[in-house]
Amino acid sequence: MILLVHGDREYLRAPGDELHTDLGIVEVPEDVEPGQVLESHLGDEFVVREPRGPDLFNHFERTGAPMMPRDVGLLVGHTGAAMGDKVLDAGTGTGVLSAYLGRLGAEVTTYERKAEFAEVARENMDLAGVTDNVDVRTGDVTDHLDDLSGFDLLTLDTENAPEVVEHAPDLLVSGGFVAVYSPFVENSRASVEAAREAGLTDIETFETIQRHMDFGDRGSRPSTAGVGHTAYLTFARYE
């Protein structure tokens, strides 16, 4: 898949497709390349772009509130997730985190309890080009804990995250990380307590806040637009 970009408008299409808009019809060649400029039959130009993580975030079909790129960045930076890592993820949802990790080269096994959500996630993984790296499974990860082990990273976006954290020593390799993503502080607190009980170390919880900067004729300052809460991220490590 490629993006066709015209100003602040962008469209996701496959090579060989057609794009129909009020700007005209664009024929996408089978051998289209990023950076190429395509012209509609009305003469408007579209720049071809290869989708990257933020683009996929914008174009994935959504089944709920996805993890925001700023939180993905904190998770990757804090855990050092990298190519070749084995990741166990629960609460796939839209699949944003799994896609990012898959594009890094990690091998992700992710569980989604709702079958219809899991199917959408599989389609999103296909769109992201990570079907070889991400295995989307339908089910509750707690039903499979006895069969799972040897992971470098455990990522959880589920109500029962504390229950899974209790089993982290059996799921992770030495030095592996746990990351719990929760919109509610109560779940984060319970995850922290579970991590302590399990003997995990380096336990920390963060909330990621970003402010856009406005640069105008009168001066420069942070945007006065509201700062939205996404979730808390709790990290812990198995020694």
Side-chain angles (χ1 to χ4, degrees), residues 18-45:
E18 286 186 351
L19 172 67
H20 294 254
T21 76
D22 59 310
L23 301 175
I25 300 173
V26 180
E27 302 278 353
V28 183
E30 290 283 356
D31 58 351
V32 66
E33 295 287 343
Q36 191 172 344
V37 177
L38 303 181
E39 190 172 296
S40 76
H41 82 286
L42 296 179
D44 285 288
E45 293 184 341

Side-chain angles (χ1 to χ4, degrees), residues 29-226:
E30 290 283 356
D31 58 351
V32 66
E33 295 287 343
Q36 191 172 344
V37 177
L38 303 181
E39 190 172 296
S40 76
H41 82 286
L42 296 179
D44 285 288
E45 293 184 341
F46 292 77
V47 178
V48 178
R49 180 186 297 164
E50 182 177 355
R52 294 179 66 83
D55 304 310
L56 295 170
F57 174 85
N58 292 330
H59 288 277
F60 272 176
E61 183 177 347
R62 299 190 178 183
T63 53
M67 184 180 286
M68 299 294 290
R70 69 186 190 216
D71 294 317
V72 174
L74 178 62
L75 187 151
V76 171
H78 199 92
T79 65
M83 180 180 294
D85 279 355
K86 288 183 59 180
V87 181
L88 176 61
D89 175 63
T92 316
T94 298
V96 168
L97 177 59
S98 291
Y100 266 92
L101 293 173
R103 286 168 69 86
L104 284 175
E107 299 175 14
V108 184
T109 301
T110 180
Y111 283 85
E112 171 55 55
R113 287 187 293 183
K114 296 183 178 180
E116 62 273 26
F117 286 12
E119 186 56 36
V120 170
R122 293 185 189 102
E123 294 172 359
N124 285 338
M125 296 309 101
D126 184 51
L127 175 60
V130 294
T131 53
D132 290 340
N133 291 69
V134 181
D135 179 13
V136 180
R137 300 181 181 181
T138 303
D140 190 324
V141 70
T142 59
D143 295 331
H144 304 276
L145 295 178
D146 291 340
D147 304 318
L148 299 167
S149 64
F151 293 94
D152 301 284
L153 175 60
L154 171 62
T155 58
L156 305 168
D157 182 5
T158 62
E159 293 180 0
N160 62 358
E163 180 182 347
V164 184
V165 172
E166 293 175 4
H167 295 268
D170 300 320
L171 298 170
L172 293 171
V173 299
S174 178
F177 278 92
V178 176
V180 178
Y181 185 77
S182 174
F184 303 111
V185 72
E186 291 85 359
N187 190 270
S188 298
R189 181 182 180 89
S191 297
V192 167
E193 293 172 351
R196 290 172 177 166
E197 287 292 325
L200 304 184
T201 63
D202 301 335
I203 304 169
E204 298 178 289
T205 299
F206 302 92
E207 180 185 26
T208 309
I209 298 294
Q210 287 185 337
R211 295 192 298 174
H212 289 277
M213 295 295 295
D214 287 339
F215 298 100
D217 294 337
R218 295 180 57 193
S220 307
R221 66 179 183 181
S223 172
T224 56

